[in-house]
Amino acid sequence: MDELILIKIGELILKGNNRRKFEERLMTNIRHSVSKHGDYKIYRAQGTMYVEPKDENSKIAPAVESIKKVFGITQISPAYVAEKDMNDIYRVIKEKISVPLLNAKTFKVEAKRADKKFPLTSPEICAETGGFILQNFSHLKVDVKNPELTVNVDIRDEYAYVYCEKIKGAGGIPTGSSGKAALLLSGGIDSPVAGWLMAKRGVNLISINFFSYPYTSQRAKEKVIELNRILEEYAGKIPMYIVPFTEIQMEIKDKCPESQLTIIMRRFMNRIAQRIAEQNDASVLVTGESLGQVASQTMQSMVVTSEVATMPILRPLVGLDKQEIINYARKIGTFDTSILPYEDCCTVFVPKSPDIKPKLEKVIESESKLDVEALVNRAVEGTELL
Ligand code: ATP
Ligand code: MG
């Protein structure tokens, strides 16, 4: 194969055996992410991972697009393969990168020599290659400080590689290295971003959506399924659970004070989410809450909603402003789906003036009018795995 993808791996801070496990996980995640585009051989050597098409139909460009979403990678370079011989490197430069060279006005060459037996040193490779390019592309000038095009020549164990692009990877650590969490995924802007941030730090996800048919429509459900699918491009498979929530919401509306509707509803969500998390060996809950964003996300409200869960509730957006969250949502590609105007189960039962400083005893007193255990049990039993 005369073309492949070079991948620089990121923050694999762990050493020894752990590092090996991280790398193996990353390879598995890369394999999974490119599999839909064709057949690729994936291997690693000297701290770099290689993705090599096995046949003509397996293209480089779509594989690069998918690899950009895999966590644990700092840099991606589509590269051309040459024999470890200057003449063959020149041949590849002429055959493969003459278009970018013709389009540029200034360039420089950067060389790396992992194989110290190669007869030229890195500065010599730069000088020779630069000379060759100047001879063949007479419009070009060398600019070592701020070139339009950088031609990289890497001499490694088996081959030499020539490439011009250094594409930024997604950063983070390989998904699957940091345990499992249950994401409370609504159709809003925030929770998909919260899930993405957790996956970026290596967490495997399951997602849980509370669905209030017929107050929330089939289209609202499809919207959440689509958000889950977009997250899967980054986080691998995310099993999604749909919890029937209508009965609980009706009961709360019937029997509890209006100012506490949202708080009590959020407490039910956390109780049910914890049960589903336990059944799936997930050890924490994750929500898209951000401090002070709405009445149910004030400090006091979070204290009251957290009280029902023994599991930690992680809130990766807690310190972000709405605009910062929106920027993330645009970057990861969930924003346009999140703003589709289908009602969420929460928007159907919004109190006119919610309590922003709920008192735990008062809330517990209100809940005593409900058969909490039975309601939770029925919701968990009615939960559907998509
Ligand atoms: P989002 O944009 O994520 O919907 P929000 O600003 O609308 O958040 P709330 O509606 O108060 O805030 O919800 C806070 C968090 O509770 C959400 O980020 C999400 O994690 C969870 N949540 C709310 N509604 C649902 C739902 N219908 N299904 C699952 N989780 C939900
Ligand atoms: Mg919401």
Side-chain angles (χ1 to χ4, degrees), residues 184-186 188-191 208 210 266 288 293 297 344-346:
L184 284 78
L185 182 63
S186 71
I189 295 170
D190 305 330
S191 44
I208 302 173
F210 296 89
R266 302 271 310 115
Q293 195 188 80
Q297 297 175 26
D344 176 46
C345 77
C346 310

Side-chain angles (χ1 to χ4, degrees), residues 198-213:
M198 295 304 293
K200 180 169 173 348
R201 296 311 297 166
V203 173
N204 257 333
L205 296 172
I206 65 166
S207 69
I208 302 173
N209 179 254
F210 296 89
F211 187 65
S212 299
Y213 189 79

Side-chain angles (χ1 to χ4, degrees), residues 267-294:
R267 280 164 62 90
F268 271 94
M269 286 186 182
N270 287 343
R271 288 185 183 101
I272 295 163
Q274 167 154 331
R275 291 268 290 272
I276 297 170
E278 282 163 355
Q279 291 169 359
N280 284 276
D281 293 320
S283 44
V284 300
L285 304 181
V286 175
T287 74
E289 290 164 297
S290 155
L291 187 60
Q293 195 188 80
V294 289

Side-chain angles (χ1 to χ4, degrees), residues 248-308:
I248 290 175
Q249 285 193 306
M250 299 310 268
E251 277 283 294
I252 300 173
K253 200 171 162 65
D254 265 7
K255 298 184 179 152
C256 302
E258 201 199 66
S259 64
Q260 295 174 354
L261 290 185
T262 311
I263 286 290
I264 294 178
M265 187 182 76
R266 302 271 310 115
R267 280 164 62 90
F268 271 94
M269 286 186 182
N270 287 343
R271 288 185 183 101
I272 295 163
Q274 167 154 331
R275 291 268 290 272
I276 297 170
E278 282 163 355
Q279 291 169 359
N280 284 276
D281 293 320
S283 44
V284 300
L285 304 181
V286 175
T287 74
E289 290 164 297
S290 155
L291 187 60
Q293 195 188 80
V294 289
S296 59
Q297 297 175 26
T298 62
M299 185 92 87
Q300 290 90 333
S301 296
M302 287 198 203
V303 169
V304 174
T305 53
S306 304
E307 191 259 348
V308 292

